[in-house]
Amino acid sequence: MSELIKPYRLCPGDRVGITAPASWGDREQIQTATACLEQLGLRVRLGDTLSKQHGYLAGTDEERARELNGMFADPEIKAIICARGGYGTGRIADLLDYDLIRANPKIFWGYSDITFLHAAILKRAGLVTFHGPMMIDLEKDNDPLTVQNYETLLFPSVLRYTEEINPLKVLVEGEARGPLVGGNLSLITSTLGTPYELDTKGRLLFIEDIDEEPYRVDRMLNQLRLAGKFADAAGVLICDFNNCVPNKRKLSLTLEQVIEDHIVSAGKPTMAGFKIGHCSPNITVPHGIEARMSTQDRVLECTEPGVET
């Protein structure tokens, strides 16, 4: 990984680019959701990918990559927020200009399928990015904590996640420190064996997912375990696994059982219950920033803001 760099904070009047590097969405719906950014005094530019459709993708791979590279290169755009996830970011990872991204450090924000780009940008450009709610989420999630995430664009703060947000469950006791990395389980697994494989050595790994049955979660956790990702990690954060219940296979292990088999067995400090991912609220975390997790204090806290102040 390149030496870690942080993007710059925003100021009122700055322009934010909205792009769709994965699946396509409803442009009008997404435009409506940008009102929360405008209320913060930011200006918004909608990318052309919000009007494109190529099967289940928001344009061809070349179109989506060109727009993302262009937004990093454009001096008028100070931050880039993804309209939605879905599928497709892994297809453009090798079309991105990581030297360009490193030379123009900007806030890059999204989650779900965007996980692949968080991993790729951290590994190839060394840029801190943000795992947080996207434009499509603001149409259905009006939880104050979700909306307040965006205030950190202008008013940098140090993430401190405690049980004041929601109860946390200790699975393996201990304290661990390291850069905070991770995201969607399906996408983390899809990085294995690629040049963008997520490195967990000495890091705090957070995972989340949605609509995956326990047997599918089992398969992905087993693959990560066999790849040494849990043994290498300093600690593990189990975040929201929305609707990950038996459907096709009614005779099933529980989600808790597969987590026990593959993660708890690694013996690294582990806590569950973080509202990070496909949930409400969806707490934003800086991807790549040093953090501390303590099961005794039941806290996750970063050592510094995710942006240059």
Side-chain angles (χ1 to χ4, degrees):
M1 185 187 79
S2 303
E3 181 182 353
L4 193 70
I5 56 173
K6 297 193 293 185
Y8 297 101
R9 63 177 291 183
L10 298 185
C11 297
D14 281 348
R15 189 176 296 281
V16 176
I18 310 296
T19 187
S23 293
W24 55 275
D26 185 320
R27 183 183 178 92
E28 291 186 6
Q29 180 187 45
I30 291 166
Q31 185 168 15
T32 299
T34 62
C36 73
L37 301 177
E38 294 169 342
Q39 289 168 5
L40 293 173
L42 299 170
R43 296 181 296 158
V44 174
R45 179 189 297 172
L46 299 182
D48 292 339
T49 54
L50 273 66
S51 300
K52 295 183 181 294
Q53 183 178 350
H54 179 63
Y56 38 73
L57 304 170
T60 65
D61 295 342
E62 291 74 18
E63 288 171 330
R64 289 176 289 119
R66 187 185 311 119
E67 180 166 281
L68 186 51
N69 283 329
M71 286 188 175
F72 270 105
D74 189 337
E76 269 203 8
I77 293 180
K78 306 300 183 182
I80 303 166
I81 297 178
C82 297
R84 60 158 301 163
Y87 172 75
T89 60
R91 294 174 57 113
I92 68 170
D94 58 352
L95 298 176
L96 298 183
D97 187 337
Y98 296 100
D99 291 335
L100 169 71
I101 292 172
R102 183 169 178 83
N104 297 274
K106 300 178 182 183
I107 292 168
F108 178 72
W109 185 297
Y111 77 108
S112 192
D113 197 71
I114 312 304
T115 294
F116 202 108
L117 296 185
H118 288 313
I121 291 172
L122 181 63
K123 190 159 193 172
R124 297 290 296 276
L127 176 65
V128 172
T129 55
F130 292 83
H131 182 283
M134 299 174 286
M135 292 293 98
I136 197 171
D137 298 298
L138 296 182
E139 280 294 290
K140 55 189 175 183
D141 184 359
N142 58 4
D143 188 286
L145 290 178
T146 298
V147 178
Q148 287 170 18
N149 282 312
Y150 286 97
E151 294 180 2
T152 63
L153 293 165
L154 293 97
F155 310 107
S157 60
V158 178
L159 172 67
R160 192 169 192 274
Y161 195 118
T162 70
E163 289 195 304
E164 290 183 5
I165 296 176
N166 67 285
L168 299 172
K169 182 178 180 181
V170 176
L171 302 184
V172 181
E173 294 183 352
E175 181 172 314
R177 298 173 182 265
L180 190 59
V181 300
N184 184 265
L185 173 61
S186 304
L187 273 296
I188 294 171
T189 306
S190 75
T191 70
L192 295 180
T194 75
Y196 315 103
E197 181 171 328
L198 186 70
D199 182 9
T200 65
K201 192 171 182 61
R203 299 178 172 189
L204 297 179
L205 173 63
F206 67 96
I207 57 173
E208 65 86 29
D209 220 315
I210 184 171
D211 295 337
E212 298 285 3
E213 293 193 51
Y215 83 94
R216 294 172 62 90
V217 175
D218 188 344
R219 183 179 63 222
M220 291 184 282
L221 292 182
N222 183 57
Q223 188 171 357
L224 292 182
R225 178 183 63 82
L226 293 174
K229 298 303 179 182
F230 302 126
D232 284 348
V236 182
L237 290 70
I238 311 298
C239 303
D240 199 82
F241 276 74
N242 192 337
N243 195 38
C244 290
V245 296
N247 185 15
K248 177 181 177 182
R249 299 175 184 268
K250 298 299 185 182
L251 294 177
S252 173
L253 296 175
T254 65
L255 185 64
E256 290 74 19
Q257 284 175 308
V258 298
I259 289 172
E260 175 80 25
D261 289 343
H262 300 301
I263 298 178
V264 173
S265 62
K268 302 301 177 77
T270 302
M271 278 198 297
F274 293 94
K275 302 296 282 186
I276 298 169
H278 294 80
C279 53
S280 179
N282 179 3
I283 304 300
T284 298
V285 296
H287 191 260
I289 286 290
E290 189 82 14
R292 163 184 171 265
M293 179 181 73
S294 169
T295 63
Q296 179 176 344
D297 300 334
R298 301 202 180 200
V299 66
L300 168 70
E301 52 188 2
C302 291
T303 60
E304 57 184 317
V307 295
E308 293 287 357
T309 60

